[in-house]
Amino acid sequence: MDLNLRKAILTNIATNDQSQLEATIVDAIQDGEEKMLPGLGVLFELIWNASDEQEKQEMIDALEQGVKKATAN
């Protein structure tokens, strides 16, 4: 079976407007279900590819801070 998960995710969100995209992200994070992680990864890939170097650095900085906060004892 040839399953292109990235293509399936993109097809599912192709006609979504900004509010629907936001709801997809918020729902995936709030639900905390592992099955949503690939979809969030595809969305992040789209954001990353559309970002300039400064925006990428800001995302890396925010990610670093988020990891530190999430793993602090």
Side-chain angles (χ1 to χ4, degrees):
M1 184 169 119
D2 184 22
L3 175 65
N4 186 331
L5 190 55
R6 181 180 281 109
K7 184 176 179 180
I9 291 165
L10 291 173
T11 299
N12 285 341
I13 64 168
T15 60
N16 287 10
D17 62 21
Q18 287 185 7
S19 64
Q20 292 168 312
L21 292 169
E22 180 180 8
T24 298
I25 294 166
V26 171
D27 289 347
I29 292 169
Q30 286 179 348
D31 288 349
E33 294 184 31
E34 298 282 324
K35 69 181 182 180
M36 300 300 285
L37 294 176
L40 289 174
V42 171
L43 295 178
F44 182 75
E45 179 182 46
L46 294 172
I47 293 167
W48 184 264
N49 288 337
S51 299
D52 63 28
E53 292 307 312
Q54 180 179 346
E55 292 167 325
K56 288 178 180 179
Q57 187 59 53
E58 290 170 3
M59 285 187 274
I60 292 169
D61 292 343
L63 180 58
E64 179 184 37
Q65 292 305 310
V67 169
K68 286 179 181 178
K69 185 176 179 181
T71 57
N73 292 330

